[in-house]
Amino acid sequence: MKRSLSLLLVLSLLCALLAGCAGKVACPPASDGGDQEPLPKTEGAVARCRVVAVGEDNTLLLADVESERGDIYTLDASGLPLYREPTERGELLADSQLAVGALVEVAFGGDILESYPARFAEVRSITVLPDKFDDRCALYLRVLGDLWGKDEGLNGDVKYISVDLAATSLTPAERSAVAWTFAQSHGAEPMELSYEQLCAEGYISGLMGENAFPQWEKGILFTITETDELVAFSLPCMSEGEEEPSMSQFNIKNTVSFGASKWRTALGAYGFSKCVAVQNNDGVWGDYHINGGEWIS
């Protein structure tokens, strides 16, 4: 009898404990008295994405920075609540504050609609991570645009545009988003193959024989390759023993060196080398400078 009473007591305590936990989960967070709008509870899924392009109708091209498959999405942001920071209570922002380069978290129902780029189902909100801004995608889109404008005779009658960004620090999805939006802007089908891959898959003709003349009759290849070349700066003179200042004091967060080219045939190519660009403390990449030679073949 005592054993039965003890067991009953244990079960009663366990039920009370579970009820108390459930009550804590269900309780809303205590208000701090502020007038900020609370972020909605996320019951579906959250995707962390980089904004790569913003259309005139507020349609976003997003790159899932945590995806190893290179997942990209389009999202109509019109009318969606936009918040700052992934906190329990966040500041409600205006649509105009969402820019190319922003890192955002998209809360949605969990399903992905099949298309390319894909689309989120039941989007609930967008949250901006203000300290993670980085518009390197925009920088490389400017470089690709400049390459397109050089020796424009190489661009004629292209069905495919392959953009090889494998040797950059962009994520797989960022690379896919840049390739897609650049090719789409010129009415071509996007690809991400290197010269070697294009040859292996039969896109490049004229590889064999005594009069070999490699060429891509229906496409053009764009390549950007980051390098390890140091970016030099002229800093103020320092006294002996004085500690070297942080680059952030000069509004410099990061630097990059790279080369870029476009290729159509063995005698139809253009490129430039030893390019450098600087990112400021806000994450914005400025204009790039060509310190090496420009070449054409």
Side-chain angles (χ1 to χ4, degrees):
M1 186 67 167
K2 290 182 179 179
R3 184 174 181 182
S4 298
L5 288 174
S6 299
L7 180 58
L8 181 60
L9 180 60
V10 169
L11 291 175
S12 298
L13 290 173
L14 180 59
C15 290
L17 178 61
L18 290 174
C21 292
K24 289 180 181 179
V25 171
C27 289
S31 172
D32 58 3
D35 57 358
Q36 293 180 333
E37 297 252 358
L39 288 176
K41 291 186 179 296
T42 303
E43 297 177 353
V46 175
R48 180 169 288 198
C49 300
R50 181 76 62 194
V51 179
V52 177
V54 180
E56 293 182 359
D57 56 353
N58 212 18
T59 298
L60 310 179
L61 176 63
L62 302 174
D64 189 333
V65 296
E66 296 178 341
S67 166
E68 302 229 347
R69 300 174 303 175
D71 295 330
I72 65 175
Y73 309 92
T74 54
L75 170 61
D76 183 359
S78 301
L80 288 174
L82 180 65
Y83 297 91
R84 182 193 302 274
E85 298 181 350
T87 55
E88 193 106 25
R89 295 179 65 81
E91 178 187 357
L92 193 61
L93 303 177
D95 289 347
S96 60
Q97 293 179 269
L98 192 59
V100 172
L103 188 66
V104 300
E105 289 184 340
V106 179
F108 64 105
D111 293 329
I112 302 294
L113 304 180
E114 292 186 6
S115 60
Y116 192 82
R119 290 177 293 143
F120 299 109
E122 301 178 22
V123 179
R124 294 164 183 164
S125 66
I126 302 174
T127 301
V128 181
L129 310 181
D131 296 331
K132 303 295 184 181
F133 186 93
D134 189 331
D135 64 350
R136 191 184 298 239
C137 290
L139 168 66
Y140 287 153
L141 280 169
R142 292 200 300 272
V143 173
L144 293 171
D146 291 343
L147 284 172
W148 181 269
K150 297 287 188 177
D151 199 3
E152 294 186 69
L154 299 178
N155 307 334
D157 195 28
V158 294
K159 181 179 180 181
Y160 305 100
I161 291 179
S162 187
V163 181
D164 179 12
L165 301 173
T168 70
S169 54
L170 297 181
T171 67
E174 288 171 332
R175 299 198 297 263
S176 295
V178 169
W180 184 85
T181 191
F182 180 66
Q184 288 288 304
S185 69
H186 296 292
E189 183 176 331
M191 302 173 68
E192 298 180 60
L193 301 180
S194 66
Y195 176 80
E196 291 76 16
Q197 291 169 325
L198 290 169
C199 291
E201 296 194 18
Y203 288 98
I204 307 298
S205 62
L207 295 172
M208 308 296 290
E210 294 183 4
N211 299 317
F213 184 76
Q215 60 180 320
W216 192 5
E217 296 178 2
K218 296 183 179 180
I220 185 168
L221 168 65
F222 291 80
T223 304
I224 298 177
T225 303
E226 292 181 4
T227 65
D228 295 328
E229 295 182 35
L230 296 177
V231 179
F233 296 94
S234 297
L235 298 177
C237 295
M238 294 181 294
S239 303
E240 186 175 351
E242 185 179 353
E243 185 177 351
E244 183 175 336
S246 169
M247 296 304 288
S248 63
Q249 296 181 25
F250 304 97
N251 198 23
I252 296 174
K253 182 178 181 179
N254 198 2
T255 63
V256 65
S257 303
F258 62 91
S261 66
K262 69 177 182 181
W263 185 93
R264 187 75 184 266
T265 74
L267 294 178
Y270 171 85
F272 36 73
S273 60
K274 296 184 179 180
C275 304
V276 297
V278 176
Q279 183 187 38
N280 68 21
N281 291 338
D282 293 327
V284 177
W285 288 92
D287 292 334
Y288 68 97
H289 301 277
I290 303 173
N291 295 328
E294 299 182 53
W295 52 268
I296 188 169
S297 66

